[in-house]
Structures are given as structure tokens and as C-alpha cells.
Amino acid sequence: MSTNKKTIINFIAVICIAITTVSCSKNSSFLNPSSDDSISIEDNLNKNTTSSNVATIAVNPSLLPGTWTVSYYFDKTNKTARFAGYTITMNANGTVSATQASTTTNGTWTTNASKSKLYFAFTGVKLLEEISEDWKIISQTSSKLELVNISGGNGGTDYLTLIK
């Protein structure tokens, strides 16, 4: 066998090994905050993400009504603890209520199926106003909703995960 053929075969073997190594992943979950080996949403998305290149899924509005809690919220830093004790109840009629202890704040939610977006609108409580955004839906099941918001103003990327 000639030296050129050996070099080409060796090069192809190295590429195949590299591809196999890079494509394997220990963590099959997109986001599992309760797991010690979990990867946060922002680690799964490209840090140079723009609103036009985020992979989204089709909105299924029938899965949204129900009572949710915030299992993850990231806005420059992990701010999940700020939502401790809150429940967010989304009603089929487009109303939403966020309750902590005996305090309830009402708002609305809507979807835009063509843009795979969920919109929350709360007023009067600064913390809830932080999530009053147009969120791109990146994962949705009957018990888990993963959202991303890419700000047009400051270029920041926020992440919100709700669980039932």
C-alpha cells in the first residue's frame, strides 16, 4: 500500500473517531435541574444565539392550562430561588394567576403558533413583570415547558422552565 493511501486511511479513521467522540453524550435530558450531571438550558444553546436561529417546536396550547411552578429561571444569573413558593395557573381562557402564600397576581397568556411563542403579561409585581415576555418554546410536554427569550434591546438571553 502506498504512503498516500495509508495517510488517507489514517486521516479518515481519526475523523471517524473524533465524530463518534463528539456526538456521544452522557446526559440525554435537555434539562434536568434536579440531576447532579444536568446541563442548564444556556449550556445547550449556542451563546451567540439570535432569535432567528433558536430551534423551536410547534405550540400545543392544549398542554398549557394547569398549575405550574418555576423550576428554572435564568436572567444573567440563575434567579430560580426568587420564584420559590409561587404557583402559576394558566387557564384555558387565556387568563393566568401567579400565587405566593395568600397573594395572587392576575395576568394573561397567549400563544403565536406561527412563531412558536408563548406570551405572559403581568403587571404590578416586579418579579412577575420579569417573565412578562414573548418566550420561544423550545420544549413542551404535558408536565414540562422550556422557554427562551432573546432580548432585542440588551441582547441578553433569558431561560424559563415550568413544571407541573
Side-chain angles (χ1 to χ4, degrees):
M1 190 180 282
S2 72
T3 304
N4 286 341
K5 285 183 182 179
K6 286 182 183 178
T7 302
I8 291 172
I9 290 172
N10 287 338
F11 177 75
I12 291 171
V14 168
I15 295 298
C16 289
I17 291 170
I19 290 172
T20 303
T21 303
V22 171
S23 67
C24 292
S25 173
K26 175 182 172 188
N27 188 350
S28 62
S29 172
F30 182 71
L31 174 66
N32 182 1
S34 63
S35 173
D36 290 335
D37 64 346
S38 67
I39 300 173
S40 63
I41 292 175
E42 71 272 8
D43 289 336
N44 280 289
L45 293 174
N46 184 330
K47 292 294 184 181
N48 296 317
T49 300
T50 65
S51 59
S52 63
N53 71 3
V54 172
T56 58
I57 63 162
V59 177
N60 185 345
S62 67
L63 296 178
L64 297 175
T67 301
W68 301 85
T69 58
V70 175
S71 69
Y72 185 71
Y73 178 61
F74 182 91
D75 178 7
K76 297 182 186 75
T77 62
N78 186 337
K79 297 181 179 179
T80 307
R82 292 182 180 185
F83 288 92
Y86 267 99
T87 59
I88 298 172
T89 303
M90 298 171 65
N91 301 303
N93 66 1
T95 61
V96 61
S97 61
T99 304
Q100 184 185 44
S102 61
T103 304
T104 298
T105 304
N106 294 311
T108 59
W109 69 271
T110 58
T111 61
N112 181 325
S114 68
K115 294 184 178 182
S116 298
K117 286 193 173 187
L118 169 65
Y119 302 86
F120 284 115
F122 288 101
T123 58
V125 177
K126 185 173 172 56
L127 179 62
L128 297 174
E129 289 174 357
E130 286 186 32
I131 63 169
S132 292
E133 299 281 353
D134 58 329
W135 296 94
K136 284 201 173 196
I137 299 173
I138 54 177
S139 174
Q140 179 184 20
T141 68
S142 60
S143 61
K144 189 176 189 178
L145 188 59
E146 293 176 321
L147 310 167
V148 63
N149 173 269
I150 299 156
S151 172
N154 66 9
T157 303
D158 302 340
Y159 306 92
L160 177 64
T161 301
L162 303 174
I163 58 170
K164 284 186 179 177

